[in-house]
Amino acid sequence: MAWFCSANTNHGLVNNLKKAGIFQFERVEKAMKATDRGKYVKYDPYRDSPQQIGYGATISAPHMHAHALENLAPFLRPGMKVLDVGCGSGYLTACLAEMVGPEGKVVGIDHIPQLVKLATDNVKNDRPELLESLRVEFILGDGRKGYPEEAPYDCIHVGAAAEKMPQDLIDQLKSPGRIFIPVGSNSQYIYQIDKDSDGNVTKKSLMGVMYVPLTDAQKQLRGE
């Protein structure tokens, strides 16, 4: 049903995602309604499909963003810290920041300078207070290695498919904490990686997907 959630407005899109049962948490609904996707995507922003944003990157379909927020919601409580790997347009980074509240922080990281600028400009246009308060910070870097300067994180979202489980990201996760990540090349699945309070790690496959690869900057720009 998710692919039929398209609408003409941001509120209509979020309402359709809710009706389709993609999310249950009211906080997810509030975050997605507070962050107008139309300020992050040039064309058909309320269409429930991935959209090209340039430089070999895409913004995920709204239903996948809703799945991510719903899955990570227990680790997106006020005051928590989040890493958003492959921040792209900055849309999901802003949604995550809405959920962790004024005392929380979200670090968005991307290895393409133009995408870091795009994300910064988009959030500045939509929610400038998130940048001014440092509730959101965008970093240029290789997200496959995480961002140890701000670690550990309560949760980590990864917006591109890793070839294998990313140990660097697992190492930067709090105990307890959770990662939402697509893994695989030809066959991809979303994995929920949990670290419990004793540091034990479990991995659970959630659904089959198709994401762009989590690769190095030059390969991405060449479309590899």
Side-chain angles (χ1 to χ4, degrees):
M1 290 182 65
W3 289 91
F4 299 98
C5 293
S6 301
N8 295 319
T9 66
N10 192 64
H11 271 54
L13 171 65
V14 179
N15 287 339
N16 288 344
L17 291 167
K18 183 178 182 180
K19 290 176 185 175
I22 306 300
F23 63 82
Q24 304 295 327
F25 284 103
E26 183 179 352
R27 293 188 299 119
V28 173
E29 179 179 4
K30 288 182 176 179
M32 294 188 77
K33 285 185 173 178
T35 311
D36 189 345
R37 191 176 166 92
K39 295 184 179 180
Y40 296 82
V41 184
K42 287 184 178 181
Y43 308 107
D44 294 326
Y46 311 121
R47 181 180 177 185
D48 192 18
S49 66
Q51 304 282 351
Q52 296 289 331
I53 58 174
Y55 310 101
T58 63
I59 178 173
S60 297
H63 70 270
M64 287 309 306
H65 280 154
H67 276 302
L69 293 170
E70 178 78 1
N71 179 267
L72 295 173
F75 300 91
L76 291 171
R77 294 191 293 272
M80 289 186 163
K81 184 182 286 187
V82 186
L83 179 64
D84 184 19
V85 176
C87 56
S89 71
Y91 168 78
L92 191 66
T93 314
C95 289
L96 293 164
E98 182 67 24
M99 291 186 70
V100 299
E103 302 304 317
K105 181 169 185 178
V106 183
V107 177
I109 186 167
D110 207 292
H111 56 189
I112 306 293
Q114 295 92 330
L115 291 177
V116 173
K117 183 179 186 303
L118 175 67
T120 302
D121 290 346
N122 286 343
V123 173
K124 188 179 296 183
N125 178 52
D126 183 32
R127 302 285 303 282
E129 72 279 5
L130 296 180
L131 295 170
E132 293 164 0
S133 65
L134 297 182
R135 189 160 144 193
V136 165
E137 183 177 6
F138 290 110
I139 300 294
L140 177 65
D142 187 346
R144 295 172 298 180
K145 300 176 182 178
Y147 188 64
E149 289 84 346
E150 287 282 352
Y153 303 96
D154 293 283
C155 65
I156 298 174
H157 168 266
V158 183
E163 287 189 2
K164 59 183 180 179
M165 293 294 176
Q167 190 59 47
D168 285 338
L169 298 183
I170 294 171
D171 290 343
Q172 292 173 37
L173 195 62
K174 280 186 182 179
S175 297
R178 175 173 292 175
I179 300 175
F180 183 95
I181 180 172
V183 179
S185 50
N186 295 329
S187 179
Q188 298 176 2
Y189 293 88
I190 291 288
Y191 279 85
Q192 171 186 313
I193 303 175
D194 286 316
K195 184 185 288 187
D196 67 19
S197 56
D198 294 321
N200 299 309
V201 175
T202 58
K203 302 164 187 176
K204 178 182 178 182
S205 174
L206 300 180
M207 68 188 88
V209 292
M210 183 55 67
Y211 276 66
V212 296
L214 185 66
T215 184
D216 64 52
Q218 292 307 311
K219 284 185 178 179
Q220 180 173 324
L221 291 171
R222 291 195 301 266
E224 298 178 16

